[in-house]
């Protein structure tokens, strides 16, 4: 449920769902509706899925548990395939991702640059910046988003969310533009923030479970929590022959397919899917996003472990 504060309606720019041009048609305020035709949506969902998936754990046995380990990663983004009906002929970009321990919580900073080439209309470039903080007990969450398209700011907002002891919560989005407009969405019982979702997913995989479904709120687009279903494959052994030499990749893990459903999706068919090779230490590689009529691949090109903070 949505509650509008001090505004009659959320402005088009505040919604953060702006069609690139008439080719892409009308877009919903929900983060996944019409996503396969929306460059901004493609950029932001790639970014926000990774914070939900790449929150790392220290190298350890698959049946053990431990604290999350900060890391910095960089991914190249390329068009993997496209149907003629997509109108897309090329895509490339880069995502820089940082996950850090802020003592009382976890901080994620992401910077993504993505350019999409279309059969009509030429190239469109999007720059997307996202910063979030999540309490270690999963009860509180803050976020800030700024999007540029072809050099122009198309939306800029921040917000916060809380989940009470009874599992019920709410999320508030605030427009950073003139007027300070705001909108509030209810979070139903069972909703998880990204780090809590990652921890739960890893526990399920370690316990040998093959399916995990929950509502997840990440603040990546103005709207309610979305439904995320994970299919977890058979555990694979550590591989020292990774294309990117790094001890963090010499660990076992699982192939994972994530299916994303917007709140109003009653078809049973996901709005889009992500397939990835997910290591036991929390690092993902070989990421493939399937939007139906085109796919994007994210390849890990750099991985570092920052210094631990003094708490």
């Amino acid at each position: 449920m949505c509650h509008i504060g001090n505004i009659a309606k959320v402005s088009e720019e505040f919604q953060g769902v702006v069609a690139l041009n008439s080719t892409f048609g009308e877009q919903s305020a929900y983060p996944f509706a019409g996503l396969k035709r929306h460059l901004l949506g493609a950029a932001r969902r790639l970014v926000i899925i990774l914070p939900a998936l790449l929150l790392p754990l220290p190298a350890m046995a698959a049946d053990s548990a431990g604290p999350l380990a900060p890391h910095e990663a960089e991914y190249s983004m390329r068009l993997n395939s496209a149907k003629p009906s997509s109108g897309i002929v090329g895509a490339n970009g880069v995502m820089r991702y940082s996950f850090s321990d802020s003592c009382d919580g976890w901080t994620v900073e992401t910077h993504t640059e993505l350019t999409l080439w279309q059969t009509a209309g030429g190239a469109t470039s999007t720059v997307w910046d996202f910063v979030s903080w999540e309490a270690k007990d999963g009860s509180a969450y803050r976020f800030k988003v700024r999007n540029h398209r072809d050099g122009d700011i198309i939306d800029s907002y921040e917000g916060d969310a809380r989940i009470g002891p009874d599992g019920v919560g709410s999320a508030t989005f605030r427009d950073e533009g003139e007027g300070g407009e705001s909108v509030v969405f209810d979070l139903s019982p069972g909703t998880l923030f990204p780090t809590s979702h990652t921890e739960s997913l890893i526990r399920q995989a370690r316990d040998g479970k093959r399916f995990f479904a929950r509502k997840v709120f990440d603040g990546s687009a103005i709207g309610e929590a979305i439904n995320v279903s994970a299919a977890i494959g058979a555990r694979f052994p550590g591989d020292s022959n990774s294309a990117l030499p790094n001890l963090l990749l010499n660990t076992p893990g699982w192939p994972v397919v994530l299916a994303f459903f917007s709140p109003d999706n009653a078809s049973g068919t996901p709005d889009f899917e992500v397939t990835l090779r997910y290591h036991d230490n929390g690092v993902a590689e070989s990421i493939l996003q399937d939007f139906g009529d085109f796919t994007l691949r994210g390849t890990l090109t750099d991985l570092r472990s920052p210094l631990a903070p003094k708490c």
Side-chain angles (χ1 to χ4, degrees):
M1 181 179 295
C2 170
H3 310 279
I4 306 298
N6 75 336
I7 52 175
K9 64 182 182 69
V10 183
S11 67
E12 179 181 356
E13 290 185 351
F14 185 34
Q15 289 176 7
V17 184
V18 181
L20 295 178
N21 52 44
S22 58
T23 301
F24 294 110
E26 294 298 322
Q27 304 298 313
S28 165
Y30 288 118
F32 301 113
L35 183 61
K36 64 184 181 182
R37 291 192 177 95
H38 199 232
L39 171 61
L40 176 58
R44 76 169 33 154
R45 297 321 304 181
L46 177 60
V47 174
I48 204 61
I49 289 164
L50 291 171
L53 291 174
L54 303 182
L55 301 182
L57 299 174
M60 52 191 165
D63 59 352
S64 65
L68 296 175
H71 77 276
E72 299 172 354
E74 184 170 307
Y75 295 80
S76 66
M77 298 162 58
R78 296 289 184 272
L79 180 68
N80 183 70
S81 66
K83 297 178 181 179
S85 59
S86 71
I88 298 171
V89 295
N92 64 38
V94 63
M95 184 187 73
R96 298 179 182 90
Y97 170 85
S98 171
F99 172 73
S100 60
D101 185 348
S102 54
C103 298
D104 61 345
W106 305 109
T107 299
V108 170
E109 296 184 50
T110 309
H111 174 83
T112 297
E113 302 173 9
L114 180 66
T115 299
L116 190 70
W117 281 269
Q118 308 162 57
T119 54
T124 302
S125 297
T126 295
V127 177
W128 192 79
D129 290 292
F130 174 84
V131 179
S132 70
W133 172 91
E134 181 177 338
K136 290 184 177 179
D137 65 0
S139 64
Y141 185 68
R142 298 193 298 267
F143 53 92
K144 186 173 184 177
V145 175
R146 176 164 290 189
N147 299 310
H148 294 77
R149 189 177 70 232
D150 293 334
D152 297 324
I153 296 178
I154 60 172
D155 72 323
S156 180
Y157 61 86
E158 62 182 9
D160 56 76
R162 287 190 172 276
I163 296 176
D166 59 355
V168 177
S170 65
T172 301
F173 294 82
R174 291 179 293 275
D175 189 357
E176 291 189 314
E178 184 177 355
E181 299 167 336
S182 64
V183 60
V184 178
F185 291 90
D186 294 330
L187 301 178
S188 60
T191 299
L192 298 175
F193 297 136
T195 306
S196 297
H197 177 260
T198 301
E199 292 174 321
S200 297
L201 177 59
I202 290 174
R203 283 195 296 270
Q204 294 291 312
R206 289 188 180 133
D207 290 343
K209 302 297 177 58
R210 292 292 175 256
F211 182 77
F212 179 59
R214 293 295 289 270
K215 285 184 176 291
V216 180
F217 176 83
D218 55 33
S220 63
I222 295 173
E224 305 173 51
I226 48 90
N227 298 301
V228 182
S229 296
I232 306 168
R235 181 177 178 270
F236 58 76
D239 182 9
S240 60
N241 297 316
S242 172
L244 180 64
N246 193 300
L247 290 176
L248 291 174
L249 299 179
N250 188 18
T251 54
W254 310 266
V256 176
V257 178
L258 293 177
F260 293 80
F261 300 82
S262 57
D264 58 350
N265 183 341
S267 68
T269 300
D271 295 284
F272 79 104
E273 294 182 334
V274 178
T275 301
L276 66 157
R277 182 178 172 88
Y278 194 23
H279 286 262
D280 179 62
N281 62 2
V283 176
E285 58 179 338
S286 301
I287 304 164
L288 183 67
Q289 285 191 290
D290 188 346
F291 296 95
D293 52 7
F294 75 94
T295 62
L296 292 176
R297 182 175 296 278
T299 301
L300 184 64
T301 59
D302 192 21
L303 182 63
R304 301 177 297 277
S305 298
L307 295 175
K310 295 181 179 180
C311 297

